[in-house]
Every structure is written in structure tokens, then in C-alpha cells.
Amino acid sequence: MKIGLFGGSFDPPHQGHRALAESALDHLGLDELRWLPAGRPWQRQHRLAAAEDRRAMVATAIADRAAFVLDDRELHRPGASYTIDTACELLAERPGAQLFLLIGEDQLQRLPTWHRWRALIERVTLAVAYRGAMREPPAELLAALQPEGRTIERLPMPPFDVSSTEIRARLAAAHSAQALAPHLLAPQVARYIDLHRLYATHP
Ligand code: ATP
């Protein structure tokens, strides 16, 4: 069984996340793709929306795709969210599963700062999507991330120049999420944001 792990703060989930997930599903032939909202992302600076809101936004963003699964285990885990813990749990739950860790290129560059990253890349295949400007990571980093002939999968998708930061900034300035273009934010997520008045004051 091929399982995709897609972690993020999803604050809010946007169409770049969706494009990455769709590309991974098709390109990697995944049986399921687990969206994992991070409980307390240990590298985050800004104050996150409530866990329950981020969970609900991911749920509504993926409801139309049976292969997309909301996995909220990191929201229930006390302390910081570490991907290595999630990977180990899933391998124990699904012996023999092949795990793919889906990440944007910005996160690939930072992966060597992650908790127990070497243990992590022994357990997952990295699948990377480029964001915005295409930059090839430094050769030493690529070598470190591909030990013993392992390869990083590239997800074929056009660069999708959208981030949660940009959406939060636009919402702080403009008020209505539903007025944002649907190529940035899915309409059902926009409705949730407006209904719950998220991001009006905290860009
Ligand atoms: P923020 O702006 O708050 O930092 P973000 O838009 O980067 O948020 P995250 O929830 O942190 O969103 O991202 C989760 C994962 O999705 C990360 O691996 C990130 O690299 C990837 N990702 C986010 N946006 C895109 C995008 N537009 N294209 C490709 N990958 C993306």
C-alpha cells in the first residue's frame, strides 16, 4: 500500500496544497493521501488559527476526494509535532506500507533542521513540489537527502504561487474570503473562514 503523508499548518489550506496533493496522487499512484494538520509546529513564528478550525478547513477542502484522508493525530499529540513520530506510528499501524512524504521545495531545503531527519528519510520516500521560482537545491543537500541510491520524487505540477501567509495578509486587509479568487482558496474553505471570522485581525 502506498500512503502519502502531507503535513502542514494549513492555516488556511489553499489551492497550492490541493495542487500538490492532486499531483502526488496521480504521479505516485497513491492508495491514500493523509493530510496531517500540525498540532504545534515547532518552527512557526506566527500565532496559528485554532486547531479545530484548521482541522475543519482541511476536512472541507478534501471532502470531494475519497483518496484524501484527514489524519488529525498530530493535533492530539501533546508537545511539538514531529513528522518522524507520525511516520513510525503509521508504519506500526500498516506493516509493509510504503510511505511518501510530500513537501514543497522550501521545506526540502529546511529538512536537515527537522527532528531526527536522517531516521525520517530512512522510512519515507521524499516527493517534492517546486514553489514559485524554480531553484535547484544545493548539490550537497541533495546528496545528503538521497542516501544509498535513494531518489527524491519530483511532483510534476506548474509552480503555484500562493501561500497561507499571502492569504492571511489579504484577508486582514480585505475582510471577505469569498471575494478571493477561487484559484487561491477553495470556495468551501472561503465560506468557513467568513462564517467563523478567521484571519480578520491576525495576518
Ligand atoms: P505559510 O505561508 O503560513 O508558511 P504555507 O503556504 O507554506 O504556509 P504550509 O501549511 O506551511 O503552507 O505548507 C504545507 C506544505 O505544503 C509544505 O511542505 C509546503 O512547502 C507545501 N506548499 C504550500 N504551498 C505550496 C505551493 N504553493 N506549492 C507547492 N507546495 C506548497
Side-chain angles (χ1 to χ4, degrees):
M1 181 160 195
K2 290 180 163 187
I3 303 177
L5 308 187
F6 187 30
S9 26
F10 300 125
D11 190 25
H14 55 64
Q15 299 291 43
H17 295 131
R18 177 77 190 217
L20 186 158
E22 293 284 355
S23 171
L25 206 55
D26 293 349
H27 178 68
L28 303 171
L30 301 177
D31 297 294
E32 67 178 38
L33 193 164
R34 306 183 79 84
W35 293 60
L36 291 141
R40 205 190 312 153
W42 56 293
Q43 292 189 331
R44 284 281 145 178
Q45 303 301 327
H46 78 273
R47 217 175 91 197
L48 294 176
E52 188 46 44
D53 287 322
R54 292 183 295 113
R55 200 194 77 85
M57 287 189 286
V58 170
T60 191
I62 67 176
D64 58 333
R65 264 289 208 178
F68 288 164
V69 175
L70 170 66
D71 184 332
D72 61 2
R73 73 181 69 216
E74 295 189 0
L75 296 178
H76 302 305
R77 194 181 290 151
S81 297
Y82 295 126
T83 306
I84 179 67
D85 298 335
T86 301
C88 289
E89 281 177 20
L90 272 166
L91 286 170
E93 289 165 19
R94 310 275 187 90
Q98 189 182 1
L99 302 185
F100 292 84
L101 181 67
L102 318 180
I103 53 176
E105 167 261 338
D106 56 312
Q107 292 296 330
L108 182 76
Q109 307 261 0
R110 285 162 50 182
L111 207 131
T113 69
W114 289 21
H115 184 61
R116 298 184 62 214
W117 67 276
R118 289 183 197 276
L120 178 63
I121 62 174
E122 279 168 18
R123 290 166 173 78
V124 301
T125 299
L126 297 173
V128 180
Y130 283 103
R131 293 184 75 160
M134 297 269 266
R135 275 176 291 129
E136 189 62 21
E140 322 81 77
L141 173 64
L142 284 178
L145 294 175
Q146 299 177 96
E148 289 158 27
R150 300 185 65 144
T151 51
I152 297 176
E153 296 279 347
R154 309 284 162 157
L155 296 175
M157 61 180 257
F160 225 92
D161 195 10
V162 53
S163 68
S164 298
T165 302
E166 179 196 344
I167 290 174
R168 291 193 303 273
R170 287 187 186 223
L171 294 176
H175 308 304
S176 166
Q178 287 167 99
L180 284 187
H183 72 269
L184 296 177
L185 205 55
Q188 65 274 28
V189 177
R191 269 197 301 280
Y192 185 96
I193 291 172
D194 286 343
L195 190 63
H196 297 269
R197 297 190 172 82
L198 304 182
Y199 309 117
T201 54
H202 297 290

